[in-house]
Amino acid sequence: MVGIVVVSHSERAAAGIREIAREVGGDARIEAVGGTGDGRIGTTPGPIREAIEAVADDGVVVLVDLGSAVMNAELAIEEAAADAVVADAPVLEGALNAAVAATAPSATVESVLEAAEDARDVSKV
């Protein structure tokens, strides 16, 4: 199964997004990474790499909130022993789409990435 990693500057935000994505994604393998090791707002590559490796069976799609989360996710992917990509998608909507797509028997990193990135065009009103 393709794994999903949600990265946010806030540990609570990442956990909340994972919680919502698990509701719609059922059996999807989703890890949440947020904040710094000392409880501050921010991201660091080490925990992101560990999360990627924890769900890396058939590859991983990483969803990020903003700024340095992108840079740290890319660093983590370089260090990880896994096929992983960062989605250019809104983190919540992308995670929901990715979670549903990841549960398909024929899911690939490419199909889950495409589903996540399809969320860029979702209108909220």
Side-chain angles (χ1 to χ4, degrees), residues 9-104:
H9 282 70
S10 165
E11 181 179 6
R12 289 186 295 178
I17 292 166
R18 177 184 57 195
E19 180 182 4
I20 295 168
R22 281 185 172 163
E23 277 293 312
V24 299
D27 295 331
R29 297 189 66 203
I30 307 170
E31 287 288 323
V33 182
T36 62
D38 59 1
R40 293 180 295 139
I41 296 294
T43 61
T44 55
I48 299 169
R49 179 189 47 78
E50 291 169 8
I52 290 169
E53 291 174 344
V55 295
D57 294 338
D58 295 319
V60 181
V61 173
V62 181
L63 291 118
V64 297
D65 59 3
L66 57 111
S68 64
V70 177
M71 178 187 66
N72 284 324
E74 289 173 344
L75 286 170
I77 288 170
E78 288 177 17
E79 296 173 359
D83 176 24
V85 294
V86 175
D88 183 13
V91 65
L92 174 59
E93 294 88 342
L96 297 177
N97 283 4
V100 171
T103 61

